[in-house]
Amino acid sequence: CGASAFAPASLPSLGCHRALTCSGALSLRAASGEAVPRRTLVEGAVAFGAAAAVGSPQEARAAEETMTISTTAGDMEFEFWPDVAPKTVESFKKLAKTGYFDGQAFHRVIKGFVIQGGDPNSKTGYGPSGTLEGANIGAVKKWGTGGPGFNLKAEFNPRKHEFGVLSMARSANPDSAGSQFFVCLGSLASLDNKYTTFGKMTKGDEVLKKIGSCKTVKGDYPYERQGIEKVTINGA
């Protein structure tokens, strides 16, 4: 694994095991600072947030709302899980309704693992052709560092990280999630109870697989822009 012009300057050389240490990014580094394989969790995180039944009319309406992520590869539809992650779902919906995610991109794709998006910095960086050829290196270096300006308290819960599951990215601090999220490309039991799952894809398997198999460069950056064109909350 050689060095790449597209890897953030703040990241140390870790061979094939790369770590994301920026706020809101999917943390692949132990709290001690030692690099760990990307499928290994940050040790010592505390699981909480047992599942609760949807009781109030507001919770029932929230459960009925769905989401469509329109991408350059097609549409993916998701259900939300307000019964186990109410604050996370509420925050994500609020951001989506303001158009926060529109025009972003999935800035990190780890084959067989996750696709990651939700960073407003990913709206810029790609070259005129929509690839990393002629990219704005300064803008690319900021991918994975952006957020909404606030953090969410973790809502770890019993829902599993499986293919198509939505979960919140974070740093080593469990309460550091903001707007960056990831969609699982397979069963990832090592993440269970240590990242906040808050929904699951109900339609668009082939779209997810297409994005998840795109060409990437060092740092897990997609060579060609995998755009998040629009995020729509349905039934709102």
Side-chain angles (χ1 to χ4, degrees):
C1 295
S4 168
F6 302 110
S10 61
L11 299 185
S13 175
L14 298 173
C16 291
H17 299 313
R18 292 176 287 279
L20 297 180
T21 58
C22 300
S23 176
L26 177 63
S27 176
L28 302 176
R29 176 180 290 277
S32 64
E34 295 182 359
V36 295
R38 56 171 58 125
R39 300 179 198 280
T40 302
L41 288 170
V42 176
E43 296 297 332
V46 180
F48 67 91
V54 175
S56 71
Q58 292 83 359
E59 289 175 323
R61 285 195 296 273
E64 291 174 357
E65 291 179 346
T66 63
M67 174 176 65
T68 301
I69 300 181
S70 299
T71 78
T72 47
D75 291 354
M76 295 184 288
E77 296 182 9
F78 296 83
E79 65 179 17
F80 287 111
W81 294 339
D83 55 327
V84 295
K87 296 301 182 182
T88 300
V89 170
E90 179 184 15
S91 177
F92 201 89
K93 287 181 178 179
K94 284 183 177 179
L95 290 175
K97 290 174 182 178
T98 67
Y100 176 88
F101 299 103
D102 301 354
Q104 293 185 15
F106 288 104
H107 63 276
R108 182 142 295 186
V109 173
I110 305 176
K111 291 179 174 62
F113 192 49
V114 302
I115 64 173
Q116 184 176 335
D119 182 357
N121 293 333
S122 66
K123 292 185 177 183
T124 61
Y126 280 103
S129 65
T131 71
L132 289 175
E133 294 300 325
N136 181 331
I137 303 302
V140 172
K141 288 179 179 179
K142 295 181 180 179
W143 292 353
T145 67
F150 60 83
N151 297 119
L152 298 170
K153 187 173 180 61
E155 294 181 297
F156 303 149
N157 61 75
R159 301 290 172 83
K160 305 300 183 183
H161 286 80
E162 301 171 335
F163 180 84
V165 165
L166 276 170
S167 191
M168 293 300 292
R170 63 172 177 81
S171 67
N173 178 356
D175 299 329
S176 61
S179 61
Q180 291 192 45
F181 65 95
F182 59 94
V183 186
C184 300
L185 294 173
S187 295
L188 307 173
S190 62
L191 304 184
D192 292 345
N193 291 313
K194 294 182 180 179
Y195 293 85
T196 300
T197 53
F198 65 102
K200 187 173 183 179
M201 186 174 62
T202 57
K203 185 178 179 180
D205 290 24
E206 294 308 312
V207 176
L208 177 57
K209 291 176 182 177
K210 183 176 181 180
I211 297 173
S213 61
C214 72
K215 177 183 177 181
T216 58
V217 301
K218 174 73 173 181
D220 301 314
Y221 301 121
Y223 174 75
E224 183 176 358
R225 179 177 177 270
Q226 304 298 312
I228 300 173
E229 304 301 81
K230 186 174 181 60
V231 174
T232 305
I233 303 301
N234 308 305

